[in-house]
Amino acid sequence: MRLGYAQRRRLKRIGFWALAAVIVIYTVFPFYWSIVTSMKTGSALFSVDLLPPDPVWENYHLIFAEQPFARNIGNSVLVAVAVVALSLALAVTAAFAFGRLRFRGRVGLLLAILAVSMFPQVAVLSGMFTLVRWLGLFNSLFALILTYLIFTLPFTVWVLTTFMRELPKELEEAAIVDGAKPLTILTRIYLPLLVPALATTGLLAFIVAWNEFLFALTFTLSNEMRTVPVAIALMTGGSQYELPWGQIMAASVVVTLPLIALVLVCQRMIVSGLTAGAVKG
Amino acid sequence: MTQAAMTGAVRKTPAASRLTRQRARAAWLFLAPSLLVLILVAAWPLLRTFAYGFTDANLADPGAAAFIGFENYRFLLTDPLWWRSVWNTVFFTVVAVSLEMVIGTIIALALNAAVPWRGGLRAAVLIPWVIPTVVAAQMWGWMYHDIHGVLNEILVGLGLIEAKLAWTADPDLAIWAVIFTDVWKTTPFVALLVLAGLQMVPRDILEAAKMDGVSGFKLFFGVILPLIRSAVLVAALFRILDSLRIFDVIYVLTGNNERTMSMSVYARQQLVDFQDVGFGSAATSLLFGIVALVSVVYLMLGRLELMRED
């Protein structure tokens, strides 16, 4: 039996909704499950209910009372904000040079910076460790602020350069005729136009710094200096045999909710920033 | 005088060349801070690591190290655990990146189709991307739990498996637990890049293909895929490079278990846990070489491919 046009259309539509539903369940369920788990304690943890039978906030209380989790969050915020500010300040002038000025060795240098962003992080680990110790920064947040520049700086330079290139040339020509110096051109003409690009790049760099694990694990030692990912990875409870899953999930939810809110608000910005770095480059 | 010669003559006027020189000088001034920082936190640590690879340095006092030539590399190449970690990494990369490309492309196609709640769908897809890798690994670790895990519960309930599985402890399953977690976490990134490629496909080409009665698989493989090829290749390159250096997921999910140990996990264990900076540095240098080689070969093949097309 052959299906009519309308029937085929309807089938197609149902198939499409089913696909969309499967995608949403696949991407959201693990996070949903961690929320459910975070509201259970004791034996309720070990039952599989799609909704917590009687939700409790005890785990959320415990991560702040028994673990230095507030301190960990403060560390992560401080490190990420400092890294973003430093990266943007350094990258905006570099991107101006790469995107707007002509000089010998421009392409080669830009490719070298791109190559740095492809370094496997572990490949610099022992050299970085020596650097950190030599500067006396071991077990300090400054170690992380400095070392995170190895991946946030090349990335911000690269993305800001692609944004900078897209701005029309006519903007600066009048200023050049008027005898404006390059620094004036950058700060007066381009910087105001770059604000959206800076916000996008800064947001992406923030997420990268917030999520970093290997350096934070290796260059800090004490519980008080840990950033959020290290704290969550190494979280232990009273018993050494069973991990405090309720608390781990509560901590996961606490640090993920703001990020998800950020993503929901800045969806367009994030998508344009991610693809500007990759596809157009 | 021809037009070209005239512009050439104009460009050579003293004022113009002074401007060019002034701007070139400014360029280096603008670049200097970034370059200095990158020399400090990238070039120097990398070269220092290479140098450590030829010594017997240890973590307690890396300064007191003796040059031992290729001894570390000789030992590394005969260490079965190193080869195990190379194999694990390669297996993980091939399987995970393939899955990510296929699932990512399907999600991108769904996002590109005109649906009523496309914004909501895209937001849902971004969730795994924004979740920290460590958090993703813990979430999956809890779902994989052998006795109380929800995954076993669902699979047993659906009748797909008979008994609960020890996802992270079973030597044969552990690598798959790692793969599934990584695929979940990184597929959104692939989907977004492929989606950007899809959005550049001209509508009229699709319309024309549909008028000719081309649809479904034929439309995708014959018309769309060749047009989004470069976006797909870029996404795959990013994912391959990322997978070759995988650390976070494995460290959190299965620790130093040798059935899942990647090259990064192996190198860090030598460096930090065993304090053997010299040997660990040799391992990371080899990893660096492998990643560099893969990038160069991939970029060359990609360029050949593009040239053949022209």
Side-chain angles (χ1 to χ4, degrees), chain A residues 102 176-177, chain B residues 6-25:
Chain A
R102 297 279 163 276
I176 293 176
V177 172
Chain B
M6 257 170 77
T7 41
V10 169
R11 200 177 290 147
K12 282 206 181 79
T13 61
S17 74
R18 200 175 60 231
L19 185 67
T20 313
R21 259 186 291 134
Q22 184 205 2
R23 281 170 71 87
R25 225 180 14 246

Side-chain angles (χ1 to χ4, degrees), chain B:
Chain B
M1 220 185 229
T2 63
Q3 187 75 34
M6 257 170 77
T7 41
V10 169
R11 200 177 290 147
K12 282 206 181 79
T13 61
S17 74
R18 200 175 60 231
L19 185 67
T20 313
R21 259 186 291 134
Q22 184 205 2
R23 281 170 71 87
R25 225 180 14 246
W28 286 105
L29 276 177
F30 281 132
L31 285 174
S34 292
L35 292 183
L36 286 177
V37 167
L38 285 178
I39 288 170
L40 183 70
V41 299
W44 190 83
L46 185 68
L47 295 175
R48 193 73 195 88
T49 304
F50 288 159
Y52 273 138
F54 297 105
T55 68
D56 61 356
N58 69 63
L59 196 63
D61 185 13
F67 178 78
I68 55 167
F70 281 92
E71 193 59 25
N72 287 327
Y73 287 93
R74 206 178 58 79
F75 191 77
L76 189 63
L77 295 180
T78 55
D79 183 7
L81 189 55
W82 164 254
W83 289 111
R84 178 85 225 175
S85 73
V86 172
W87 166 246
N88 288 341
T89 311
V90 170
F91 179 79
F92 165 80
T93 301
V94 171
V95 177
V97 175
S98 309
L99 286 173
E100 285 154 18
M101 296 313 295
V102 173
I103 301 175
T105 307
I106 292 173
I107 293 178
L109 287 169
L111 284 172
N112 195 41
V115 271
W117 34 288
R118 186 160 72 173
L121 190 58
R122 191 170 64 179
V125 168
L126 277 170
I127 288 180
W129 173 78
V130 79
I131 287 180
T133 310
V134 168
V135 171
Q138 291 283 35
M139 283 177 180
W140 280 84
W142 172 234
M143 294 202 300
Y144 286 137
H145 196 283
D146 48 354
I147 305 163
H148 311 300
V150 69
L151 192 66
N152 276 334
E153 207 69 45
I154 293 174
L155 292 176
V156 170
L158 290 174
L160 291 174
I161 53 172
E162 279 173 17
K164 293 183 172 183
L165 300 171
W167 287 95
T168 53
D170 185 324
D172 296 324
L173 278 178
I175 190 84
W176 289 99
V178 171
I179 288 172
F180 294 145
T181 308
D182 188 74
V183 167
W184 178 78
K185 161 83 187 124
T186 58
T187 297
F189 173 76
V190 175
L192 290 180
L193 289 198
V194 175
L195 177 63
L198 281 175
Q199 282 166 343
M200 284 185 226
V201 173
R203 288 269 159 206
D204 46 342
I205 291 186
L206 296 182
E207 296 300 324
K210 272 186 193 149
M211 295 275 259
D212 291 342
V214 183
S215 66
F217 284 99
K218 239 183 182 169
L219 177 68
F220 177 72
F221 287 105
V223 182
I224 298 176
L225 194 57
L227 287 169
I228 60 169
R229 210 226 227 79
S230 66
V232 171
L233 286 177
V234 168
L237 176 64
F238 276 102
R239 289 307 315 139
I240 290 170
L241 295 182
D242 239 15
S243 303
L244 288 175
R245 62 192 173 203
I246 182 170
F247 177 79
D248 302 15
V249 175
I250 295 176
Y251 185 86
V252 174
L253 214 48
T254 51
N256 289 329
N257 176 350
E258 58 179 80
R259 294 302 288 264
T260 57
M261 183 177 275
S262 68
M263 291 187 277
S264 287
V265 174
Y266 176 93
R268 188 186 179 276
Q269 189 185 28
Q270 298 293 338
L271 265 170
V272 180
D273 300 348
F274 303 156
Q275 311 248 320
D276 198 339
V277 170
F279 188 65
S281 299
T284 63
S285 303
L286 213 52
L287 169 61
F288 179 84
I290 292 171
V291 169
L293 191 71
V294 169
S295 328
V296 170
V297 169
Y298 191 94
L299 291 175
M300 271 167 55
L301 286 180
R303 183 168 292 182
L304 284 181
E305 183 96 326
L306 288 178
M307 270 161 67
R308 204 181 51 193
E309 234 167 59
D310 287 341

